[in-house]
Amino acid sequence: MAEPMKIRATLQGDLADVRILILHPMETGTRKDSKGDIVPRHFIQNVAVTPNGKTVLDGQWGQAFSRNPFLGLRVKGAKAGDKISVTWVDNKGDKRTDEAVVAPAS
């Protein structure tokens, strides 16, 4: 089972500043382990960000992203208390969905 994502969503006016840290190995399939064997590819293929059931980002990724990728975006028209859902699917069929609530500006 994959580690939970770290999601922070903070309201700034009518925009939600959303920051997501995805804990994933993101192996390219070109690195070798200590025995000299190639580490198999294992990377996120699709990421979706959905505030209150409406998809605002549906991205297709490849193996060129770093380990534990960071994603930041702003969602227009957000309000404090809105739920932001983030889902990823990797090339091995693993899937994870986590949610965060938009916090009011401090």
Side-chain angles (χ1 to χ4, degrees), residues 6-12 15-21 49-51 56 70-76 78 82-86 100-103:
K6 296 180 182 182
I7 306 170
R8 180 179 295 164
T10 308
L11 196 61
Q12 295 180 353
L15 296 174
D17 183 27
V18 182
R19 297 170 185 235
I20 306 156
L21 179 63
V49 179
T50 310
V56 295
F70 174 81
L71 175 64
L73 66 142
R74 291 191 173 176
V75 177
K76 193 173 186 177
D82 286 356
K83 286 188 180 181
I84 306 281
S85 175
V86 181
V101 175
V102 176

PDB file of all heavy atoms in Angstrom, residues 6-12 15-21 49-51 56 70-76 78 82-86 100-103:
ATOM      1  N   LYS A   6       0.785  14.141   1.091  1.00  0.00           N
ATOM      2  CA  LYS A   6       0.697  15.299   1.974  1.00  0.00           C
ATOM      3  C   LYS A   6       0.093  16.416   1.146  1.00  0.00           C
ATOM      4  O   LYS A   6       0.697  16.864   0.169  1.00  0.00           O
ATOM      5  CB  LYS A   6       2.071  15.670   2.504  1.00  0.00           C
ATOM      6  CG  LYS A   6       2.658  14.570   3.375  1.00  0.00           C
ATOM      7  CD  LYS A   6       4.014  14.930   3.900  1.00  0.00           C
ATOM      8  CE  LYS A   6       4.551  13.768   4.725  1.00  0.00           C
ATOM      9  NZ  LYS A   6       5.854  14.073   5.306  1.00  0.00           N
ATOM     10  N   ILE A   7      -1.111  16.828   1.515  1.00  0.00           N
ATOM     11  CA  ILE A   7      -1.848  17.833   0.749  1.00  0.00           C
ATOM     12  C   ILE A   7      -2.158  19.011   1.656  1.00  0.00           C
ATOM     13  O   ILE A   7      -2.677  18.824   2.763  1.00  0.00           O
ATOM     14  CB  ILE A   7      -3.166  17.258   0.187  1.00  0.00           C
ATOM     15  CG1 ILE A   7      -2.916  15.984  -0.608  1.00  0.00           C
ATOM     16  CG2 ILE A   7      -3.888  18.305  -0.652  1.00  0.00           C
ATOM     17  CD1 ILE A   7      -4.169  15.225  -0.984  1.00  0.00           C
ATOM     18  N   ARG A   8      -1.844  20.209   1.168  1.00  0.00           N
ATOM     19  CA  ARG A   8      -2.194  21.433   1.885  1.00  0.00           C
ATOM     20  C   ARG A   8      -2.934  22.337   0.923  1.00  0.00           C
ATOM     21  O   ARG A   8      -2.447  22.607  -0.180  1.00  0.00           O
ATOM     22  CB  ARG A   8      -0.935  22.124   2.395  1.00  0.00           C
ATOM     23  CG  ARG A   8      -1.251  23.405   3.153  1.00  0.00           C
ATOM     24  CD  ARG A   8      -0.013  24.063   3.674  1.00  0.00           C
ATOM     25  NE  ARG A   8       0.584  23.177   4.664  1.00  0.00           N
ATOM     26  CZ  ARG A   8       1.829  23.302   5.087  1.00  0.00           C
ATOM     27  NH1 ARG A   8       2.597  24.245   4.611  1.00  0.00           N
ATOM     28  NH2 ARG A   8       2.314  22.477   5.981  1.00  0.00           N
ATOM     29  N   ALA A   9      -4.095  22.808   1.330  1.00  0.00           N
ATOM     30  CA  ALA A   9      -4.898  23.714   0.501  1.00  0.00           C
ATOM     31  C   ALA A   9      -5.270  24.915   1.365  1.00  0.00           C
ATOM     32  O   ALA A   9      -5.949  24.760   2.375  1.00  0.00           O
ATOM     33  CB  ALA A   9      -6.136  23.010  -0.015  1.00  0.00           C
ATOM     34  N   THR A  10      -4.816  26.096   0.954  1.00  0.00           N
ATOM     35  CA  THR A  10      -5.053  27.320   1.715  1.00  0.00           C
ATOM     36  C   THR A  10      -5.738  28.339   0.831  1.00  0.00           C
ATOM     37  O   THR A  10      -5.328  28.558  -0.305  1.00  0.00           O
ATOM     38  CB  THR A  10      -3.713  27.896   2.221  1.00  0.00           C
ATOM     39  OG1 THR A  10      -2.998  26.880   2.906  1.00  0.00           O
ATOM     40  CG2 THR A  10      -3.940  29.052   3.162  1.00  0.00           C
ATOM     41  N   LEU A  11      -6.751  28.958   1.365  1.00  0.00           N
ATOM     42  CA  LEU A  11      -7.505  29.963   0.628  1.00  0.00           C
ATOM     43  C   LEU A  11      -6.729  31.280   0.564  1.00  0.00           C
ATOM     44  O   LEU A  11      -6.176  31.738   1.555  1.00  0.00           O
ATOM     45  CB  LEU A  11      -8.857  30.192   1.316  1.00  0.00           C
ATOM     46  CG  LEU A  11      -9.920  30.910   0.516  1.00  0.00           C
ATOM     47  CD1 LEU A  11     -10.269  30.124  -0.745  1.00  0.00           C
ATOM     48  CD2 LEU A  11     -11.150  31.116   1.360  1.00  0.00           C
ATOM     49  N   GLN A  12      -6.677  31.867  -0.633  1.00  0.00           N
ATOM     50  CA  GLN A  12      -6.055  33.174  -0.853  1.00  0.00           C
ATOM     51  C   GLN A  12      -7.000  33.954  -1.764  1.00  0.00           C
ATOM     52  O   GLN A  12      -6.926  33.815  -2.987  1.00  0.00           O
ATOM     53  CB  GLN A  12      -4.678  33.030  -1.480  1.00  0.00           C
ATOM     54  CG  GLN A  12      -3.689  32.336  -0.576  1.00  0.00           C
ATOM     55  CD  GLN A  12      -2.333  32.191  -1.214  1.00  0.00           C
ATOM     56  OE1 GLN A  12      -2.136  32.482  -2.386  1.00  0.00           O
ATOM     57  NE2 GLN A  12      -1.378  31.736  -0.431  1.00  0.00           N
ATOM     58  N   LEU A  15      -8.959  32.060  -4.606  1.00  0.00           N
ATOM     59  CA  LEU A  15      -8.106  30.984  -5.097  1.00  0.00           C
ATOM     60  C   LEU A  15      -7.688  30.075  -3.946  1.00  0.00           C
ATOM     61  O   LEU A  15      -7.400  30.552  -2.850  1.00  0.00           O
ATOM     62  CB  LEU A  15      -6.833  31.537  -5.744  1.00  0.00           C
ATOM     63  CG  LEU A  15      -6.973  32.391  -6.990  1.00  0.00           C
ATOM     64  CD1 LEU A  15      -5.614  32.963  -7.379  1.00  0.00           C
ATOM     65  CD2 LEU A  15      -7.534  31.580  -8.126  1.00  0.00           C
ATOM     66  N   ALA A  16      -7.649  28.793  -4.214  1.00  0.00           N
ATOM     67  CA  ALA A  16      -7.076  27.849  -3.253  1.00  0.00           C
ATOM     68  C   ALA A  16      -5.677  27.509  -3.751  1.00  0.00           C
ATOM     69  O   ALA A  16      -5.507  27.069  -4.885  1.00  0.00           O
ATOM     70  CB  ALA A  16      -7.918  26.593  -3.156  1.00  0.00           C
ATOM     71  N   ASP A  17      -4.694  27.756  -2.917  1.00  0.00           N
ATOM     72  CA  ASP A  17      -3.316  27.385  -3.220  1.00  0.00           C
ATOM     73  C   ASP A  17      -3.137  25.945  -2.744  1.00  0.00           C
ATOM     74  O   ASP A  17      -3.151  25.677  -1.543  1.00  0.00           O
ATOM     75  CB  ASP A  17      -2.360  28.334  -2.498  1.00  0.00           C
ATOM     76  CG  ASP A  17      -0.908  28.065  -2.826  1.00  0.00           C
ATOM     77  OD1 ASP A  17      -0.637  27.539  -3.931  1.00  0.00           O
ATOM     78  OD2 ASP A  17      -0.040  28.386  -1.995  1.00  0.00           O
ATOM     79  N   VAL A  18      -3.019  25.012  -3.689  1.00  0.00           N
ATOM     80  CA  VAL A  18      -2.959  23.591  -3.377  1.00  0.00           C
ATOM     81  C   VAL A  18      -1.530  23.092  -3.600  1.00  0.00           C
ATOM     82  O   VAL A  18      -0.953  23.289  -4.668  1.00  0.00           O
ATOM     83  CB  VAL A  18      -3.950  22.786  -4.258  1.00  0.00           C
ATOM     84  CG1 VAL A  18      -3.921  21.314  -3.894  1.00  0.00           C
ATOM     85  CG2 VAL A  18      -5.355  23.343  -4.146  1.00  0.00           C
ATOM     86  N   ARG A  19      -0.992  22.453  -2.570  1.00  0.00           N
ATOM     87  CA  ARG A  19       0.359  21.885  -2.647  1.00  0.00           C
ATOM     88  C   ARG A  19       0.281  20.411  -2.275  1.00  0.00           C
ATOM     89  O   ARG A  19      -0.306  20.062  -1.244  1.00  0.00           O
ATOM     90  CB  ARG A  19       1.303  22.629  -1.712  1.00  0.00           C
ATOM     91  CG  ARG A  19       1.462  24.072  -2.113  1.00  0.00           C
ATOM     92  CD  ARG A  19       2.184  24.851  -1.061  1.00  0.00           C
ATOM     93  NE  ARG A  19       2.204  26.253  -1.444  1.00  0.00           N
ATOM     94  CZ  ARG A  19       3.316  26.956  -1.550  1.00  0.00           C
ATOM     95  NH1 ARG A  19       4.477  26.407  -1.301  1.00  0.00           N
ATOM     96  NH2 ARG A  19       3.249  28.227  -1.901  1.00  0.00           N
ATOM     97  N   ILE A  20       0.878  19.584  -3.131  1.00  0.00           N
ATOM     98  CA  ILE A  20       0.752  18.134  -2.966  1.00  0.00           C
ATOM     99  C   ILE A  20       2.138  17.498  -3.040  1.00  0.00           C
ATOM    100  O   ILE A  20       2.880  17.727  -3.990  1.00  0.00           O
ATOM    101  CB  ILE A  20      -0.125  17.540  -4.092  1.00  0.00           C
ATOM    102  CG1 ILE A  20      -1.464  18.268  -4.159  1.00  0.00           C
ATOM    103  CG2 ILE A  20      -0.314  16.047  -3.900  1.00  0.00           C
ATOM    104  CD1 ILE A  20      -2.125  18.178  -5.518  1.00  0.00           C
ATOM    105  N   LEU A  21       2.469  16.709  -2.036  1.00  0.00           N
ATOM    106  CA  LEU A  21       3.693  15.919  -2.049  1.00  0.00           C
ATOM    107  C   LEU A  21       3.269  14.463  -2.148  1.00  0.00           C
ATOM    108  O   LEU A  21       2.596  13.932  -1.251  1.00  0.00           O
ATOM    109  CB  LEU A  21       4.527  16.146  -0.793  1.00  0.00           C
ATOM    110  CG  LEU A  21       5.819  15.341  -0.710  1.00  0.00           C
ATOM    111  CD1 LEU A  21       6.771  15.727  -1.850  1.00  0.00           C
ATOM    112  CD2 LEU A  21       6.488  15.539   0.628  1.00  0.00           C
ATOM    113  N   VAL A  49      -6.743  15.976  -9.978  1.00  0.00           N
ATOM    114  CA  VAL A  49      -7.098  16.826  -8.840  1.00  0.00           C
ATOM    115  C   VAL A  49      -8.548  17.242  -9.020  1.00  0.00           C
ATOM    116  O   VAL A  49      -8.917  17.793 -10.063  1.00  0.00           O
ATOM    117  CB  VAL A  49      -6.174  18.060  -8.754  1.00  0.00           C
ATOM    118  CG1 VAL A  49      -6.580  18.947  -7.589  1.00  0.00           C
ATOM    119  CG2 VAL A  49      -4.719  17.629  -8.629  1.00  0.00           C
ATOM    120  N   THR A  50      -9.355  16.967  -8.004  1.00  0.00           N
ATOM    121  CA  THR A  50     -10.793  17.182  -8.103  1.00  0.00           C
ATOM    122  C   THR A  50     -11.305  17.914  -6.873  1.00  0.00           C
ATOM    123  O   THR A  50     -11.438  17.307  -5.813  1.00  0.00           O
ATOM    124  CB  THR A  50     -11.508  15.817  -8.227  1.00  0.00           C
ATOM    125  OG1 THR A  50     -10.886  15.062  -9.251  1.00  0.00           O
ATOM    126  CG2 THR A  50     -12.967  15.973  -8.523  1.00  0.00           C
ATOM    127  N   PRO A  51     -11.621  19.207  -6.996  1.00  0.00           N
ATOM    128  CA  PRO A  51     -12.269  19.896  -5.882  1.00  0.00           C
ATOM    129  C   PRO A  51     -13.790  19.761  -5.997  1.00  0.00           C
ATOM    130  O   PRO A  51     -14.366  20.037  -7.054  1.00  0.00           O
ATOM    131  CB  PRO A  51     -11.830  21.352  -6.042  1.00  0.00           C
ATOM    132  CG  PRO A  51     -11.466  21.493  -7.484  1.00  0.00           C
ATOM    133  CD  PRO A  51     -11.138  20.124  -8.002  1.00  0.00           C
ATOM    134  N   VAL A  56     -10.225  19.434 -12.141  1.00  0.00           N
ATOM    135  CA  VAL A  56      -9.570  20.639 -12.654  1.00  0.00           C
ATOM    136  C   VAL A  56      -8.195  20.334 -13.239  1.00  0.00           C
ATOM    137  O   VAL A  56      -7.639  21.145 -13.963  1.00  0.00           O
ATOM    138  CB  VAL A  56      -9.436  21.737 -11.572  1.00  0.00           C
ATOM    139  CG1 VAL A  56     -10.801  22.230 -11.142  1.00  0.00           C
ATOM    140  CG2 VAL A  56      -8.617  21.259 -10.393  1.00  0.00           C
ATOM    141  N   PHE A  70       6.480  16.706  -6.307  1.00  0.00           N
ATOM    142  CA  PHE A  70       5.700  17.796  -5.720  1.00  0.00           C
ATOM    143  C   PHE A  70       4.876  18.431  -6.827  1.00  0.00           C
ATOM    144  O   PHE A  70       5.374  18.666  -7.925  1.00  0.00           O
ATOM    145  CB  PHE A  70       6.635  18.835  -5.106  1.00  0.00           C
ATOM    146  CG  PHE A  70       5.931  20.059  -4.614  1.00  0.00           C
ATOM    147  CD1 PHE A  70       5.308  20.060  -3.380  1.00  0.00           C
ATOM    148  CD2 PHE A  70       5.873  21.200  -5.384  1.00  0.00           C
ATOM    149  CE1 PHE A  70       4.641  21.188  -2.921  1.00  0.00           C
ATOM    150  CE2 PHE A  70       5.209  22.330  -4.941  1.00  0.00           C
ATOM    151  CZ  PHE A  70       4.597  22.319  -3.706  1.00  0.00           C
ATOM    152  N   LEU A  71       3.606  18.705  -6.533  1.00  0.00           N
ATOM    153  CA  LEU A  71       2.710  19.338  -7.498  1.00  0.00           C
ATOM    154  C   LEU A  71       2.038  20.513  -6.805  1.00  0.00           C
ATOM    155  O   LEU A  71       1.520  20.373  -5.698  1.00  0.00           O
ATOM    156  CB  LEU A  71       1.665  18.320  -7.969  1.00  0.00           C
ATOM    157  CG  LEU A  71       0.562  18.804  -8.899  1.00  0.00           C
ATOM    158  CD1 LEU A  71       1.153  19.273 -10.235  1.00  0.00           C
ATOM    159  CD2 LEU A  71      -0.437  17.687  -9.145  1.00  0.00           C
ATOM    160  N   GLY A  72       2.078  21.664  -7.440  1.00  0.00           N
ATOM    161  CA  GLY A  72       1.414  22.843  -6.899  1.00  0.00           C
ATOM    162  C   GLY A  72       0.499  23.443  -7.952  1.00  0.00           C
ATOM    163  O   GLY A  72       0.847  23.493  -9.128  1.00  0.00           O
ATOM    164  N   LEU A  73      -0.692  23.878  -7.537  1.00  0.00           N
ATOM    165  CA  LEU A  73      -1.621  24.518  -8.457  1.00  0.00           C
ATOM    166  C   LEU A  73      -2.553  25.429  -7.673  1.00  0.00           C
ATOM    167  O   LEU A  73      -2.626  25.352  -6.444  1.00  0.00           O
ATOM    168  CB  LEU A  73      -2.426  23.482  -9.246  1.00  0.00           C
ATOM    169  CG  LEU A  73      -3.397  22.603  -8.456  1.00  0.00           C
ATOM    170  CD1 LEU A  73      -4.650  22.396  -9.274  1.00  0.00           C
ATOM    171  CD2 LEU A  73      -2.751  21.275  -8.148  1.00  0.00           C
ATOM    172  N   ARG A  74      -3.236  26.287  -8.389  1.00  0.00           N
ATOM    173  CA  ARG A  74      -4.238  27.162  -7.785  1.00  0.00           C
ATOM    174  C   ARG A  74      -5.589  26.862  -8.410  1.00  0.00           C
ATOM    175  O   ARG A  74      -5.692  26.731  -9.619  1.00  0.00           O
ATOM    176  CB  ARG A  74      -3.864  28.622  -8.001  1.00  0.00           C
ATOM    177  CG  ARG A  74      -2.644  28.988  -7.205  1.00  0.00           C
ATOM    178  CD  ARG A  74      -2.416  30.446  -7.187  1.00  0.00           C
ATOM    179  NE  ARG A  74      -1.320  30.708  -6.268  1.00  0.00           N
ATOM    180  CZ  ARG A  74      -0.825  31.883  -6.087  1.00  0.00           C
ATOM    181  NH1 ARG A  74      -1.294  32.924  -6.754  1.00  0.00           N
ATOM    182  NH2 ARG A  74       0.156  32.060  -5.237  1.00  0.00           N
ATOM    183  N   VAL A  75      -6.600  26.786  -7.560  1.00  0.00           N
ATOM    184  CA  VAL A  75      -7.951  26.466  -8.000  1.00  0.00           C
ATOM    185  C   VAL A  75      -8.813  27.706  -7.813  1.00  0.00           C
ATOM    186  O   VAL A  75      -8.975  28.198  -6.693  1.00  0.00           O
ATOM    187  CB  VAL A  75      -8.526  25.275  -7.204  1.00  0.00           C
ATOM    188  CG1 VAL A  75      -9.953  24.995  -7.631  1.00  0.00           C
ATOM    189  CG2 VAL A  75      -7.648  24.047  -7.379  1.00  0.00           C
ATOM    190  N   LYS A  76      -9.357  28.196  -8.911  1.00  0.00           N
ATOM    191  CA  LYS A  76     -10.178  29.409  -8.895  1.00  0.00           C
ATOM    192  C   LYS A  76     -11.577  29.105  -8.370  1.00  0.00           C
ATOM    193  O   LYS A  76     -12.133  28.047  -8.641  1.00  0.00           O
ATOM    194  CB  LYS A  76     -10.258  29.972 -10.313  1.00  0.00           C
ATOM    195  CG  LYS A  76     -10.792  31.360 -10.405  1.00  0.00           C
ATOM    196  CD  LYS A  76     -10.677  31.874 -11.826  1.00  0.00           C
ATOM    197  CE  LYS A  76     -11.066  33.325 -11.898  1.00  0.00           C
ATOM    198  NZ  LYS A  76     -10.902  33.863 -13.239  1.00  0.00           N
ATOM    199  N   ALA A  78     -12.570  28.789  -5.239  1.00  0.00           N
ATOM    200  CA  ALA A  78     -12.634  27.923  -4.060  1.00  0.00           C
ATOM    201  C   ALA A  78     -13.135  28.689  -2.841  1.00  0.00           C
ATOM    202  O   ALA A  78     -13.042  29.913  -2.777  1.00  0.00           O
ATOM    203  CB  ALA A  78     -11.251  27.349  -3.783  1.00  0.00           C
ATOM    204  N   ASP A  82     -14.099  23.614   1.208  1.00  0.00           N
ATOM    205  CA  ASP A  82     -14.173  22.772   0.011  1.00  0.00           C
ATOM    206  C   ASP A  82     -13.225  21.580   0.163  1.00  0.00           C
ATOM    207  O   ASP A  82     -12.157  21.703   0.750  1.00  0.00           O
ATOM    208  CB  ASP A  82     -13.784  23.550  -1.247  1.00  0.00           C
ATOM    209  CG  ASP A  82     -14.856  24.520  -1.701  1.00  0.00           C
ATOM    210  OD1 ASP A  82     -15.938  24.544  -1.099  1.00  0.00           O
ATOM    211  OD2 ASP A  82     -14.589  25.272  -2.666  1.00  0.00           O
ATOM    212  N   LYS A  83     -13.625  20.443  -0.394  1.00  0.00           N
ATOM    213  CA  LYS A  83     -12.771  19.255  -0.358  1.00  0.00           C
ATOM    214  C   LYS A  83     -11.994  19.145  -1.662  1.00  0.00           C
ATOM    215  O   LYS A  83     -12.571  19.227  -2.743  1.00  0.00           O
ATOM    216  CB  LYS A  83     -13.599  17.991  -0.152  1.00  0.00           C
ATOM    217  CG  LYS A  83     -14.103  17.835   1.249  1.00  0.00           C
ATOM    218  CD  LYS A  83     -14.745  16.488   1.437  1.00  0.00           C
ATOM    219  CE  LYS A  83     -15.252  16.374   2.865  1.00  0.00           C
ATOM    220  NZ  LYS A  83     -15.868  15.073   3.098  1.00  0.00           N
ATOM    221  N   ILE A  84     -10.686  18.935  -1.534  1.00  0.00           N
ATOM    222  CA  ILE A  84      -9.810  18.717  -2.687  1.00  0.00           C
ATOM    223  C   ILE A  84      -9.390  17.252  -2.644  1.00  0.00           C
ATOM    224  O   ILE A  84      -8.811  16.792  -1.670  1.00  0.00           O
ATOM    225  CB  ILE A  84      -8.543  19.600  -2.621  1.00  0.00           C
ATOM    226  CG1 ILE A  84      -8.894  21.070  -2.448  1.00  0.00           C
ATOM    227  CG2 ILE A  84      -7.641  19.340  -3.815  1.00  0.00           C
ATOM    228  CD1 ILE A  84      -9.328  21.784  -3.681  1.00  0.00           C
ATOM    229  N   SER A  85      -9.693  16.521  -3.711  1.00  0.00           N
ATOM    230  CA  SER A  85      -9.335  15.113  -3.816  1.00  0.00           C
ATOM    231  C   SER A  85      -8.225  14.959  -4.857  1.00  0.00           C
ATOM    232  O   SER A  85      -8.306  15.536  -5.937  1.00  0.00           O
ATOM    233  CB  SER A  85     -10.566  14.309  -4.234  1.00  0.00           C
ATOM    234  OG  SER A  85     -10.230  12.961  -4.444  1.00  0.00           O
ATOM    235  N   VAL A  86      -7.196  14.177  -4.512  1.00  0.00           N
ATOM    236  CA  VAL A  86      -6.084  13.919  -5.428  1.00  0.00           C
ATOM    237  C   VAL A  86      -5.949  12.412  -5.592  1.00  0.00           C
ATOM    238  O   VAL A  86      -5.903  11.673  -4.605  1.00  0.00           O
ATOM    239  CB  VAL A  86      -4.759  14.508  -4.891  1.00  0.00           C
ATOM    240  CG1 VAL A  86      -3.629  14.251  -5.867  1.00  0.00           C
ATOM    241  CG2 VAL A  86      -4.903  15.994  -4.595  1.00  0.00           C
ATOM    242  N   ALA A 100      -8.076  16.666   1.142  1.00  0.00           N
ATOM    243  CA  ALA A 100      -7.766  17.734   2.084  1.00  0.00           C
ATOM    244  C   ALA A 100      -8.904  18.737   2.012  1.00  0.00           C
ATOM    245  O   ALA A 100      -9.596  18.832   1.002  1.00  0.00           O
ATOM    246  CB  ALA A 100      -6.441  18.396   1.734  1.00  0.00           C
ATOM    247  N   VAL A 101      -9.068  19.485   3.065  1.00  0.00           N
ATOM    248  CA  VAL A 101     -10.095  20.528   3.115  1.00  0.00           C
ATOM    249  C   VAL A 101      -9.404  21.883   2.973  1.00  0.00           C
ATOM    250  O   VAL A 101      -8.353  22.115   3.585  1.00  0.00           O
ATOM    251  CB  VAL A 101     -10.872  20.448   4.448  1.00  0.00           C
ATOM    252  CG1 VAL A 101     -11.863  21.599   4.572  1.00  0.00           C
ATOM    253  CG2 VAL A 101     -11.585  19.117   4.554  1.00  0.00           C
ATOM    254  N   VAL A 102      -9.976  22.763   2.165  1.00  0.00           N
ATOM    255  CA  VAL A 102      -9.405  24.087   1.971  1.00  0.00           C
ATOM    256  C   VAL A 102      -9.535  24.861   3.279  1.00  0.00           C
ATOM    257  O   VAL A 102     -10.629  25.019   3.821  1.00  0.00           O
ATOM    258  CB  VAL A 102     -10.124  24.849   0.828  1.00  0.00           C
ATOM    259  CG1 VAL A 102      -9.573  26.258   0.703  1.00  0.00           C
ATOM    260  CG2 VAL A 102      -9.980  24.093  -0.484  1.00  0.00           C
ATOM    261  N   ALA A 103      -8.390  25.305   3.779  1.00  0.00           N
ATOM    262  CA  ALA A 103      -8.347  26.058   5.038  1.00  0.00           C
ATOM    263  C   ALA A 103      -8.462  27.544   4.747  1.00  0.00           C
ATOM    264  O   ALA A 103      -7.958  28.020   3.731  1.00  0.00           O
ATOM    265  CB  ALA A 103      -7.050  25.762   5.773  1.00  0.00           C
TER     266      ALA A 103
END
